[in-house]
């Protein structure tokens, strides 16, 4: 019973990777739109885009970490 719940938890944690991929796509898409609208602010917009990319990528790194924690660290204690 607990093993099934753990596998569901691992699957739910890895779904966050798809959300992070969408977030990174949104950040870069917004950069392209902002540079197309106002090329004079391209350098400042690029700095903000790198910050957004780094924060989104940090979320993407937390998802596999939680999946590994759920699957390997949290063990069931069986009574004998």
């Amino acid at each position: 019973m607990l093993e099934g719940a753990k596998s569901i938890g691992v699957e739910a944690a890895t779904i966050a990777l798809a959300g992070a991929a969408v977030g990174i796509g949104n950040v870069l898409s917004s950069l392209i739109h902002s540079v197309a609208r106002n090329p004079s602010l391209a350098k400042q917009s690029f700095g903000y885009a790198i910050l957004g990319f780094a924060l989104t990528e940090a979320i993407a790194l937390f998802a596999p970490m939680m999946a590994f924690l759920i699957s390997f660290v949290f063990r069931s204690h069986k009574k004998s």
Side-chain angles (χ1 to χ4, degrees), residues 1 15 20 38 65 76:
M1 177 79 174
I15 288 175
N38 194 353
M65 181 185 69
S76 61

Side-chain angles (χ1 to χ4, degrees), residues 8-79:
I8 290 172
V10 169
E11 292 167 3
T14 55
I15 288 175
L17 294 175
V22 170
I24 290 170
N26 283 339
V27 167
L28 296 179
S29 171
S30 296
L31 173 66
I32 291 170
H33 285 280
S34 67
V35 169
R37 286 177 180 257
N38 194 353
S40 64
L41 291 176
K43 192 170 188 173
Q44 183 180 6
S45 297
F46 184 73
Y48 289 139
I50 292 297
L51 178 64
F53 175 78
L55 293 175
T56 308
E57 189 67 26
I59 297 298
L61 292 175
F62 286 135
M65 181 185 69
M66 290 307 297
F68 285 127
L69 281 175
I70 291 169
S71 61
F72 295 119
V73 174
F74 300 126
R75 300 214 183 262
S76 61
H77 298 289
K78 295 183 180 180
K79 295 180 181 177

